[in-house]
Amino acid sequence: MAELFISYSKHNRPQALELARELRAEGFSVWIDQGGIEGAQNWSAKIVEGISECSTLILLISPEAVASRNVAREVHIAFEKGKSILPVIIEKVTLPANFEYSLAGLQRLYYHDRPAIIRALELLRSGVDATEQLPQRDVPEL
């Protein structure tokens, strides 16, 4: 079981892979669809299994991600299963309605702010509400 599931648009694969590599180096276990699905396996079942087994879904936010029906489904599944969701901004974008409810009130972090991302994940790992512990940053409304 991986503790983190990274949800992203295929357009943002390089950023997702870079973040996964860095988080693994920090001691986190990460599930990302790049290497988690073997040939002849049911893709959608493996995605649901990865989300079901993780404790936190990291959502990489970009225009392509919020336009992706698959990313929206992943976020909805994580929300419905009561998983922690950490929104990480790659590129500023207005959230469509199908993302607003699941992300309402969640502190968003910038992709390049690795210390903040790692701190949030460490807080989530310890069971602390990261939204109450992270300093408020100048994060644009999405």
Side-chain angles (χ1 to χ4, degrees):
M1 173 179 114
E3 64 186 311
L4 307 176
F5 180 104
I6 299 179
S7 179
Y8 66 98
S9 161
K10 300 298 182 212
H11 178 80
N12 301 117
R13 179 173 282 149
Q15 295 97 328
L17 293 174
E18 177 185 8
L19 181 60
R21 181 184 52 76
E22 291 179 20
L23 292 174
R24 286 178 180 131
E26 290 289 330
F28 293 96
S29 59
V30 179
W31 194 99
I32 187 166
D33 69 352
Q34 180 78 15
I37 303 173
E38 301 299 325
Q41 290 184 320
N42 184 308
W43 175 80
S44 58
K46 286 307 223 179
I47 294 290
V48 172
E49 181 180 307
I51 295 169
S52 295
E53 294 179 358
C54 79
S55 58
T56 301
L57 179 133
I58 299 172
L59 169 61
L60 297 184
I61 299 173
S62 69
E64 295 80 14
V66 300
S68 168
R69 293 177 68 183
N70 288 328
V71 171
R73 285 183 186 125
E74 291 168 359
V75 170
H76 183 74
I77 290 167
F79 179 80
E80 288 294 316
K81 291 183 175 289
K83 304 299 178 173
S84 296
I85 299 173
L86 181 62
V88 175
I89 301 167
I90 291 178
E91 190 176 338
K92 184 179 175 181
V93 62
T94 300
L95 290 178
N98 59 339
F99 282 87
E100 282 187 41
Y101 190 79
S102 298
L103 301 181
L106 295 179
Q107 175 74 11
R108 292 156 177 97
L109 301 175
Y110 288 108
Y111 174 80
H112 293 291
D113 192 353
R114 291 302 195 273
I117 292 170
I118 291 168
R119 171 118 171 92
L121 292 171
E122 288 171 345
L123 288 168
L124 289 167
R125 180 190 265 173
S126 69
V128 175
D129 183 354
T131 60
E132 294 177 5
Q133 300 297 317
L134 290 172
Q136 294 298 314
R137 299 185 186 263
D138 181 23
V139 178
E141 286 193 29
L142 298 178

